[in-house]
Amino acid sequence: MTEPVKNAFDDAITAPFWDAATRRELVIQKCESCGKYQFYPRPFCLQCESDNIRWVKASGTGTIYSTTVVRIEISTELQPPYMVAIVELDEGPRMLSTIKGNDGRIGDRVQVDWRERAGAPPVPEFRAVRKLGTAES
């Protein structure tokens, strides 16, 4: 019988993600067989089912695909109101995250940032860097 996983950081599939997060690096998986990127971590490629996948550093940039504002307390780490978004990374995969400062709209360009946590690796969150169709930066 195998030992139960103690927490999410002990999991062999997600450990490389959390190790990179401690260095403030956003990593995603890339399939060496078909070239597709994927997130969240899996032991095989969703596109071609190959197990020939590796972790690569992501650009850390993307576009807000969808947003919502959470107005009730779900976790003591996040005080409402806060914005949750699906961010489409420039590499293709979509990632669920928070938007720093609650400043973001669908179509806005974003850059990864990091939210610190006590006793755990930081979590990627994003901040708007430019509004779609404007010259803001």
Side-chain angles (χ1 to χ4, degrees), residues 62-69 83-88 94-95 97 99 102-110 126-134:
T63 303
I64 295 177
Y65 178 80
S66 177
T67 67
T68 191
V69 175
M83 183 175 285
V84 174
I86 296 175
V87 173
E88 187 169 295
R94 292 179 181 156
M95 174 183 276
S97 186
I99 302 297
N102 298 337
D103 179 33
R105 291 183 178 184
I106 293 171
D108 283 355
R109 294 288 296 160
V110 291
F126 290 82
R127 60 180 165 76
V129 293
R130 180 177 62 79
K131 304 286 186 192
L132 189 62
T134 70

Side-chain angles (χ1 to χ4, degrees), residues 23-95:
R23 300 185 306 271
R24 279 62 174 177
E25 291 180 5
L26 181 63
V27 295
I28 57 177
Q29 291 178 319
K30 181 178 182 182
C31 178
E32 292 297 302
S33 297
C34 72
K36 297 289 183 180
Y37 295 92
Q38 65 184 23
F39 186 84
Y40 63 89
R42 296 170 177 92
F44 59 90
C45 175
L46 284 179
Q47 187 70 30
C48 71
E49 299 183 1
S50 170
D51 63 357
N52 188 16
I53 52 177
R54 67 181 175 100
W55 288 93
V56 296
K57 188 172 179 181
S59 65
T61 56
T63 303
I64 295 177
Y65 178 80
S66 177
T67 67
T68 191
V69 175
V70 177
R71 299 186 187 283
I72 60 172
E73 186 174 325
I74 297 171
S75 166
T76 55
E77 287 185 19
L78 293 167
Q79 292 301 307
Y82 59 91
M83 183 175 285
V84 174
I86 296 175
V87 173
E88 187 169 295
L89 299 175
D90 288 345
E91 292 81 4
R94 292 179 181 156
M95 174 183 276

